[in-house]
Amino acid sequence: MRPRAAPLPRARAVCCALALAALSGAAVAVGDSASLSREQAVQAARDGRLDAALAALRRLASAGDVPARHDLVVVLGWAGRNSEAIEVFEHIVTAASAPDFVQRSAAAAYRSERRFDDAARLARAALLAQPRDGEWTRLLAGVLADSGRSAEAMALMERQLAIEPGDAGNWLALGNAAWASAQAARAPGAAAAQAPLPALFIALRAYTQASRLQPANPDAALGASAVMSRLGAPYGAAQQLPAAPLALRVDQAGRQVRWATQLDPPSPARRFERADAALAEIDRLLAEVRATSGADPALLQSLRRDRVIALRQRERWADTAAAAASLRADGGALPAFVRQAEADALLALRRPEQARAAYNDVLAADPANREAAVGRFFAEVEIEDFTAAFGTVDALAAREPQALTLPLDPMPRPNPEWLDAHILAANARSYADMQAEAWQRITPLADGAPALGYLRASQSAIAAGRGWPRRADEEIHIAASVAPDDRGIQIGLADSAMRRQRWPEARERVAALVAAFPDDRAVQRAARDLATRDLAELQTGVVLRRETGDAQAAPGSGIDAYLRLYSPPIGELWRAVAVAERLTASPPEGDAVRNRFGAGAQYRGPDAQLEATAWSNQGTLQKNGFSLSGSWTPDDHVWLGAEAQAFAADTPLRALLYGITANAAGASASYRWNESRSVAAAFRRLDFSDGNLRRSLLLSGTERVVAEPTLKIDLRPAFYTSTNSLVGAPYFNPSRDRSFSLGFEADHLTWRRYERSFNQRLVATLGSYWQQGYGAGAVGGLRYEHVWRNDPLTELRYGIELARSRYDGVAERNGIFFATLNHRF
């Protein structure tokens, strides 16, 4: 089953975060930036025109303007381009003599890039000259807390508060340090003595004091909210210490929604904790605003929009769609960020046509919105519009350069968004069952970034699509070693365990996933696959044959019908089997009937399969028998099989009229390069009770020549030859014969909607059959069938076939109708 639209995997987000240092800082001139003075450039930056300001400051800095170089460091920090700010500071600014404000900006950039030692070095040097400077003290405390030295940070801020007790920023910095200490105490492996409660109370005291000094400070209120939530109180409780203006609390509620996605959850089971708290606060504020006389429409609308986002983050898809529809009904068009949340919900609710329209609206407002483009891609996949899906994903891949170069560093650096887009482009081909092209795309990417977990997971899924379960298992375990907590990789491990028949492991993994992520579509699919495998299975079918012609040696018209029942698994790898078959034929001598009833067992392990059945044969001839078959797959390419039968299933019915039966033994082997190419050989011998010994050999192959999303075309060449030791047997028994044929098989996916699908299949075969003593002649056939899959439990096939055969030099035409039904229950 194809992956569905969802938030980008955590490993992917981590990759992009780690690659921030590679983001381009190339100068982009905007408007009249070439004529801006340094002062005008700085003012442009303050006005939000950062591209124009940076272009002007780069120009001036390149010309040797030292103050412009200083301003460039600061404005790059404002723009969030911290790695470039560091490059400028280290290479074209004389760091030791740079003004204090430049040193601060550089220290902040070092901190953002997690170069804590460099940030601390600048801060400590500044504090040697200015030991009572509160801003440098707060910056150093933040660096210490970020680097895991929260106790030092708290002590530092306590000393600063003794100097400046009325500074809200100092209290806020103390609160942040205490909060970092409490978070560190919860980390895996933290010492039991590091109880978080003292730090939490320090943080609550500090945030509350900051709120009293600055009632409009949203960071203080949100910090107190987070602490109260950890202590078991609702988020809104801390916001009453002290009471903030309603407009501020509405703004804080919106910030809580954004916090819900930006902060790591304590555990997967608690991943919605912050979203639930934010949603509860929004609902409380909505009630308060509506109860207020002359309620502010702008506040009400802001809360309702934030509620849509909170519902989306909570993955309450139906509620998200309903809330967005209500907003639209009351206020017209939705802003792009709300429309995007609605699109995500529509896609999750399996309404891909509406989701695509919504994503198109978002992209019309913001063509560079990458998440909306990815969402539209998944909607197009679900609609089965692969032409559009390929266009969307290939455009994403084409618009990103493979490497980026910083202005002051000529060494090209990898662009994570280019990599991400090309991985998605490879996955797109796999979703369309174009596995060969998918593999060609994913392999060089994996070779270039072998330690990227979600990339190895994609390679694993494509390997499975190519029919390489062992390679897929190896890749997904490598991915898990790199990113063990990634949800997509955990699902991949469960899928691989099922493919490799490791059912206890599969059950354990699926149970853990369901417990942690019960609403995840991919988890639900894995659970459904496991539950389906545990069901009993019914296989039944019928073949009606009508021969027309003058060939007296032909087997005759007849009916073949079967019913096969497999029990649910017994001890994971075994099933009981019950079979009933009826075969009839009408040769010139009269009607022949064979009723077979069998019972046995089947073993299906990771590398081997075995089935043994005891048979009771009734009808024209009554005789017991047995069958034993087995196979072994030592690797992803080789398959070996063997069988033995007493009273073989393919004993000619015409022979039964003369009291003749046959025992069979055979061996077969195949080599499968991938889903598109294979060769096979099968040797078989039939020992007839009349003394005849038949030996036969079949060589065959498959080559896929067309692999499109809805059309697969295979060529199937085959060679068959046999010999019989007895002359003049009362059944068709050529002393020597052989045939060459070439089959053409076209499979067209006519319609698909999630688990339901309809295929049409056409098979044409043309060949030449030679029989010793009778020469050669043309043989062949044309088969047309329908394949319906209603759900994972049921598949129905039916069709017709017209065939031409030769018996003792005489052509015989065959009209065949067939139908099969497989159902699990």
Side-chain angles (χ1 to χ4, degrees):
M1 182 177 179
R2 293 188 297 266
R4 306 307 184 199
L8 291 178
R10 175 169 173 74
R12 188 172 306 175
V14 171
C15 170
C16 294
L18 292 176
L20 280 174
L23 293 178
S24 172
V28 178
V30 178
D32 61 348
S33 60
S35 64
L36 293 178
S37 66
R38 183 177 68 84
E39 293 77 7
Q40 290 171 327
V42 173
Q43 186 58 49
R46 291 191 176 112
D47 293 340
R49 296 185 290 120
L50 293 171
D51 287 337
L54 289 172
L57 290 172
R58 287 193 188 96
R59 172 178 54 80
L60 295 168
S62 298
D65 188 327
V66 173
R69 294 178 177 181
H70 295 160
D71 291 335
L72 181 57
V73 174
V74 176
V75 175
L76 284 168
W78 293 353
R81 300 180 181 181
N82 296 301
S83 60
E84 189 179 346
I86 292 170
E87 292 279 342
V88 174
F89 181 73
E90 291 180 344
H91 291 90
I92 68 172
V93 169
T94 305
S97 60
D100 187 75
F101 73 92
V102 179
Q103 300 271 359
R104 294 185 201 276
S105 293
Y110 280 130
R111 181 185 178 189
S112 295
E113 291 296 294
R114 302 187 67 78
R115 292 175 58 176
F116 299 129
D117 290 343
D118 290 320
R121 173 178 51 79
L122 289 179
R124 292 186 191 281
L127 285 171
L128 284 175
Q130 309 166 65
R132 298 169 68 90
D133 188 288
E135 187 173 349
W136 275 114
T137 301
R138 290 190 290 273
L139 196 153
L140 178 58
V143 170
L144 291 170
D146 290 348
S147 59
R149 299 159 67 180
S150 302
E152 292 181 52
M154 293 166 64
L156 186 65
M157 290 316 305
E158 293 283 6
R159 288 196 296 271
Q160 189 64 25
L161 279 165
I163 299 170
E164 297 179 304
D167 190 306
N170 291 337
W171 286 104
L172 186 59
L174 175 61
N176 291 339
W179 174 256
S181 177
Q183 291 292 84
R186 300 181 72 194
Q194 292 179 296
L197 283 178
L200 284 174
F201 287 127
I202 293 172
L204 181 59
R205 166 177 166 264
Y207 286 136
T208 301
Q209 186 64 23
S211 290
R212 289 197 177 100
L213 292 170
Q214 286 185 353
N217 189 319
D219 293 328
L222 283 173
S225 296
V227 175
M228 292 297 287
S229 177
R230 280 281 302 275
L231 292 171
Y235 267 83
Q239 294 173 350
Q240 305 306 313
L241 302 170
L246 181 59
L248 175 61
R249 285 184 281 132
V250 169
D251 178 68
Q252 291 171 356
R255 288 172 182 255
Q256 284 182 226
V257 173
R258 290 184 286 278
W259 261 34
T261 60
Q262 294 170 359
L263 299 178
D264 292 337
S267 67
R270 299 174 61 188
R271 67 191 180 281
F272 294 132
E273 195 172 80
R274 292 187 178 92
D276 284 336
L279 188 58
E281 177 62 12
I282 289 174
D283 286 341
R284 191 186 67 77
L285 287 170
L286 274 170
E288 182 178 343
V289 172
R290 286 169 174 154
T292 302
S293 177
D296 186 342
L299 290 181
L300 189 61
Q301 185 178 60
S302 177
L303 283 168
R304 292 179 67 191
R305 288 173 176 176
D306 285 337
R307 188 173 189 274
V308 175
I309 307 304
L311 288 168
R312 185 259 174 268
Q313 301 304 341
R314 185 56 181 81
E315 298 182 12
R316 287 169 51 180
W317 304 118
D319 291 339
T320 304
S326 176
L327 260 176
R328 184 185 297 105
D330 293 343
L334 301 178
F337 73 95
V338 178
R339 185 72 164 136
Q340 185 169 345
E342 181 185 32
D344 293 343
L346 292 169
L347 186 58
L349 292 170
R350 295 192 167 189
R351 292 153 63 181
E353 292 86 359
Q354 294 171 270
R356 175 160 70 169
Y359 286 124
N360 282 334
D361 290 345
V362 176
L363 289 167
D366 180 9
N369 188 323
R370 189 176 183 280
E371 290 187 3
V374 171
R376 183 177 70 180
F377 159 75
F378 278 105
E380 290 163 344
V381 168
E382 301 298 10
I383 296 168
E384 302 291 330
D385 187 353
F386 283 102
T387 300
F390 292 162
T392 295
V393 74
D394 290 346
L396 275 175
R399 81 185 188 191
E400 296 291 344
Q402 183 172 357
L404 299 171
T405 304
L406 296 174
L408 303 174
D409 183 359
M411 180 68 69
R413 306 191 184 186
N415 177 6
E417 292 194 355
W418 176 91
L419 177 61
D420 195 63
H422 280 269
I423 294 172
L424 190 60
N427 288 338
R429 273 66 186 184
S430 181
Y431 302 158
D433 199 22
M434 299 167 62
Q435 306 297 347
E437 183 177 347
W439 189 254
Q440 290 172 357
R441 288 172 175 262
I442 203 73
T443 301
L445 300 177
D447 291 343
L452 194 57
Y454 73 91
L455 174 53
R456 300 303 287 259
S458 291
Q459 190 175 32
S460 171
I462 296 172
R466 304 219 75 186
W468 304 333
R470 292 168 182 79
R471 175 67 183 272
D473 193 53
E474 176 185 343
E475 294 295 340
I476 196 63
H477 277 87
I478 292 174
S481 70
V482 176
D485 297 326
D486 184 276
R487 186 192 316 185
I489 291 174
Q490 290 298 318
I491 294 170
L493 287 168
D495 288 338
S496 187
M498 286 189 274
R499 281 192 298 268
R500 296 291 295 132
Q501 310 289 325
R502 300 194 299 263
W503 298 110
E505 176 190 341
R507 294 184 193 286
E508 182 178 347
R509 292 191 181 278
V510 170
L513 285 164
V514 170
F517 310 104
D519 299 322
D520 186 285
R521 294 285 187 183
V523 171
Q524 291 173 353
R525 187 266 311 153
R528 186 187 64 227
D529 289 348
L530 182 60
T532 298
R533 183 262 176 183
D534 288 341
L535 298 174
E537 182 176 3
L538 173 69
Q539 300 174 358
T540 186
V542 62
V543 178
L544 309 179
R545 304 183 316 279
R546 179 173 177 79
E547 295 181 351
T548 56
D550 298 324
Q552 294 300 305
S557 301
I559 300 174
D560 297 345
Y562 70 89
L563 187 150
R564 183 177 291 262
L565 180 64
Y566 290 92
S567 74
I570 302 171
E572 297 291 7
L573 300 179
W574 290 89
R575 290 178 185 266
V577 184
V579 190
E581 298 179 358
R582 180 176 174 84
L583 302 90
T584 69
S586 300
E589 296 90 334
D591 294 338
V593 177
R594 183 178 182 182
N595 296 321
R596 299 210 313 161
F597 304 96
Q602 180 193 65
Y603 168 84
R604 185 181 291 269
D607 303 313
Q609 298 181 34
L610 182 68
E611 185 166 326
T613 308
W615 296 94
S616 173
N617 294 273
Q618 308 294 325
T620 301
L621 188 65
Q622 298 185 14
K623 184 178 181 180
N624 296 329
F626 74 86
S627 62
L628 180 66
S629 63
S631 64
W632 178 46
T633 51
D635 59 32
D636 280 341
H637 303 284
V638 176
W639 178 90
L640 303 172
E643 63 165 336
Q645 297 185 47
F647 197 171
D650 54 345
T651 301
L653 290 184
R654 196 169 187 174
L656 303 186
L657 294 171
Y658 297 90
I660 300 170
T661 63
N663 298 329
S668 52
S670 68
Y671 188 88
R672 189 175 184 270
W673 283 268
N674 48 56
E675 81 292 346
S676 299
R677 178 178 298 166
S678 65
V679 294
F683 173 78
R684 184 175 175 80
R685 61 177 285 162
L686 278 173
D687 291 301
F688 290 86
S689 59
D690 61 357
N692 183 39
L693 176 61
R694 177 178 295 171
R695 297 184 177 91
S696 63
L697 175 67
L698 174 64
L699 304 176
S700 61
T702 300
E703 179 70 24
R704 180 155 293 171
V705 294
V706 174
E708 296 296 330
T710 60
L711 180 64
K712 306 291 183 289
I713 298 178
D714 296 336
L715 296 181
R716 298 183 179 274
F719 168 75
Y720 172 83
T721 184
S722 72
T723 61
N724 285 274
S725 63
L726 183 66
V727 177
Y731 45 87
F732 182 58
N733 190 48
S735 56
R736 185 179 298 273
D737 65 352
R738 62 176 176 264
S739 69
F740 298 90
S741 65
L742 179 63
F744 168 96
E745 179 176 324
D747 190 325
H748 182 245
L749 176 60
T750 308
W751 171 83
R752 179 165 56 194
R753 186 74 172 186
Y754 295 98
E755 293 84 11
R756 303 173 64 192
S757 65
F758 169 56
N759 287 55
Q760 298 183 78
R761 186 167 296 156
L762 179 67
V763 182
T765 305
L766 181 63
S768 175
Y769 175 76
W770 171 86
Q771 181 181 348
Q772 187 172 14
Y774 296 95
V779 294
L782 186 67
R783 185 172 84 245
Y784 174 69
E785 66 180 88
H786 289 172
V787 182
W788 291 91
R789 294 182 180 89
N790 185 59
D791 52 41
L793 306 179
T794 307
E795 178 185 276
L796 172 65
R797 295 172 180 255
Y798 56 84
I800 59 172
E801 181 176 359
L802 301 176
R804 174 186 170 94
S805 305
R806 292 179 65 85
Y807 301 94
D808 294 343
V810 179
E812 188 82 359
R813 293 181 299 277
N814 298 279
I816 300 171
F817 168 80
F818 58 90
T820 65
L821 173 67
N822 290 353
H823 179 65
R824 291 181 178 269
F825 61 96

